[in-house]
Amino acid sequence: MEASVEQLVYVREDSYTVARMSADGEPGFVATGRALAGVQPGETLRLHGEWGRHARHGRRFAVSGCERVTPSSVRAIRIYLGSGLVRGIGPRLAHAIVEHFGEATLKVIDAEPGRLTEVVNIGPLRQAQIVEAWREQKAIAALMVTLQGLGVSPLLAAKIYQAFGQDADEVLATDPYRLIGRVRGIAFRVADRIALQSGVPERSPQRVRAALLDRLEAAGSRDGHCYLPVAALVRETAELIEQDQDLVHPQLDALVAERRLAVETSPAQPGQLVAYAKHVHAREQALATHLARLLRARSTLPLRAFREDDSLHDDQRAAVTMALTSTVAVITGGPGVGKSHTVRAIATAVRQAGGTVTLAAPTGKAAKRLSELTGLPAMTVHRMLAQQSDPEPGTLFDERPSRADLIVVDEASMLDLHLATRLVAAVPSGSHLLLIGDSDQLPSIGPGDVLADLLRVPGVPRIQLTHVFRQAGGSGIVEAAHRIRAGRMPVTPGRGGFWFEELDDPDQVAQRVAHLAMVAIPRKQGVEPSQVQVLCPMRKGETGATALGRLIQDRLNPAADDKPEHWSGATVFRVGDRVMPIRNNYDKGVFNGETGTVTAVTPAERTITIRTDDGESVAYGFDELDDLTHAYAISVHRSQGSEYPFVVAPIVAESGGIMLRRKLLYTLVTRARAWVVLVGQREALELAVHRIGSRRNTGLARRLSLTLEAPAAET
């Protein structure tokens, strides 16, 4: 039958879709199945399948296949145009257009678009917008058909079109490997499936080279490695493409000759060859060079006698002296040791001497927290770098912030190789760079382990603050954190702030975590559920961030007929949802790690509006929703740099507990300000406490050491 999609009810991660449909003679029925993947409200489909009855939900149409067709009846055309599929047309305008052109409406838009101005309220500008949106929608629909024929999820069609526009068909037909890295959600396996279906030979050089580059990219994005041993890279590539290793070696050499890969002796094992992606290799070299430049430079910091702060501990005084006398320095320490107070004392001393200070952090949330703790203005590293040539007028930073006499970067464990290189390159010789961090926290999401590498280089001044102050020492969170970093179980009976609740069944754990976050803690502490953050070691699984986030969303903000919503893949955004940007966007003024609330879903404009917790209103297009995630439950990695009043977390050894390790558990516990509650298996908690985790493959420490040992003229 032919039917129109009225509403998406549910979309699962595996693309299983439940949709409300309507058709002549069958108004208001439900269709289900994976064949519905990617359908949108307003589309007309030709469905193949059979009627059945669900024990709880009643009569349903199980779809085995579907095709998109052009709406032909007046009713179907009105639904199509009024759904928001064509940007710029809402229900009222759709009614006016269809009222004027009837069944010929879509033919007019397609073949005689100039006639749209015959309709009241459509001028030349809106007519052009409608025509452009119509063509874009047609192209995406055609891409969906192409992808389905290639056995690839049609949900990727809009992302491919966004990346390549009118060239999308040509890319799919001639070089699908270009999709890797350009389209989120497409790694080698998806691109390779498209390529093989398009006739690319299994042993083609193009395929082997794409696989080599993919293995290096995956090592960086998944495990944080900057390089892989050549032997491991060749083996993993051959396994990925199911070919002999002999086929891989010549293409590895070709990529080196083309300067897309760099091969050199291992920094860890002399005699072993390792391979870098060229851009990673170049940045590691540049970072070492610029760090050596700063370390060797003569300080331009104006030094005068500064007032002693009687509130400082001995190691804090030593840290102040180090920061004022060393052009590059590192201060580390766990919770409660006074890192923020030390930063405030250092900044005060520099300002008293007539110098300038810039405080920064890798994320917006971390920068805001740094400002709150020190009482001084702070910004993200990204914003600081963006302002190095064009400072924002009227801000507290009326000079180039990266040119300050002292630049302090907090949460330095979050600095990946790419951001650290841009940061250090922007600092002029003679300025002081002070990195503050906790080396026991998780390293950066991106490649590298910059803070840990600097601590391995004897030539880099550093101080570890170890004295836990009395007001922090009484906290169960601080005690639990210090027990974890020492490899001891963080069970502290009778001490407020930390609690472990033992449960074995993952489903029960998920239900208990959700109940604590939504009901128990808010009721007991007299706070809103938004003050309780669920943190998850994993993204997938019953207790992963995806499943728990959806569980909490469905209970705190369920679907309702009067509540606008939009499905983006398997994620639904509703008015009232708590969300979080996962990328800095300076045009919008939003930053990774901030939180906000969805205030509007506007299908006609294909936008979602959020209000950040700072009160700013920001619009995201439907094609930008990969930059947003729900904030009901997030990964521990995603929480770095942030702090929450209350934290609840599942600790379960699902999938072997591959993410459970000491640094992750330590980072999780130290995100809480008042209370942290862990729910799960005792053996999983023990696993997390005792598993150290492997070191990342990085060459920065050795590269910097060699650079500092070499005569200055040679660098």
Side-chain angles (χ1 to χ4, degrees), residues 52 54 83 102 112 119 128 136 268 306 327 338 486 495 511 522 533 535 562 621 623 634 654 666 674:
H54 189 277
S83 68
E112 302 177 87
V119 180
E136 178 182 313
F306 62 92
T327 48
R495 183 65 59 86
Q511 296 294 331
Q533 183 61 59
L535 299 182
D562 60 347
D623 56 358
I634 62 174
E654 285 190 278
Y666 176 80

Side-chain angles (χ1 to χ4, degrees), residues 240-485:
L240 181 63
I241 60 176
E242 297 180 340
Q243 300 293 326
D244 296 333
Q245 293 187 20
D246 291 344
L247 185 68
V248 179
H249 285 286
Q251 302 312 320
L252 175 63
D253 294 340
L255 288 171
V256 173
E258 294 172 7
R259 297 188 176 182
R260 297 176 69 187
L261 294 185
V263 172
E264 64 181 29
T265 303
S266 167
Q269 296 183 4
Q272 182 188 66
L273 292 178
V274 299
Y276 284 81
K278 187 61 180 178
H279 67 284
V280 175
H281 186 260
R283 282 174 185 153
E284 196 175 82
Q285 285 183 317
L287 180 54
T289 299
H290 283 293
L291 282 168
R293 169 180 62 82
L294 294 180
L295 283 161
R296 286 173 167 152
R298 179 176 297 175
S299 171
T300 59
L301 183 69
L303 275 180
R304 302 173 191 163
F306 62 92
R307 218 175 288 114
E308 285 282 352
D309 187 337
D310 294 336
S311 67
L312 295 178
H313 190 264
D314 289 345
D315 57 1
Q316 290 178 306
R317 289 195 186 92
V320 172
T321 301
M322 177 188 69
L324 297 177
T325 55
S326 303
T327 48
V328 176
V330 180
I331 297 176
T332 63
V337 297
K339 295 192 294 295
S340 299
H341 187 60
T342 305
V343 170
R344 186 163 57 242
I346 294 167
T348 300
V350 172
R351 289 182 169 183
Q352 285 175 349
T356 55
V357 180
T358 293
L359 301 187
T363 68
K365 204 74 172 276
K368 183 178 180 181
R369 182 169 168 240
L370 175 63
S371 181
E372 291 170 349
L373 291 172
T374 61
L376 301 169
M379 61 169 60
T380 66
V381 175
H382 294 86
R383 185 174 287 283
M384 182 186 78
L385 296 173
Q387 293 182 27
Q388 62 184 343
S389 58
D390 186 19
E392 288 185 4
T395 66
L396 290 167
F397 303 94
D398 49 17
E399 298 182 4
R400 294 186 179 98
S402 61
R403 302 277 171 175
D405 295 304
L406 171 68
I407 298 163
V408 181
V409 179
D410 195 18
E411 297 287 355
S413 63
M414 298 175 66
L415 289 173
D416 67 10
L417 177 66
H418 306 309
L419 183 57
T421 303
R422 290 181 58 209
L423 164 69
V424 177
V427 178
S429 299
S431 291
H432 287 220
L433 175 63
L434 176 62
L435 301 178
I436 312 291
D438 188 340
S439 56
D440 291 305
Q441 284 191 23
L442 284 171
S444 59
I445 294 177
D449 199 353
V450 174
L451 180 63
D453 280 343
L454 291 182
L455 294 174
R456 296 186 187 107
V457 179
V460 176
R462 86 289 304 276
I463 281 179
Q464 182 178 11
L465 304 180
T466 57
H467 177 74
V468 178
F469 288 87
R470 184 183 304 170
Q471 66 271 22
S475 163
I477 294 173
V478 171
E479 182 172 339
H482 284 283
R483 288 173 70 94
I484 291 167
R485 74 191 305 205

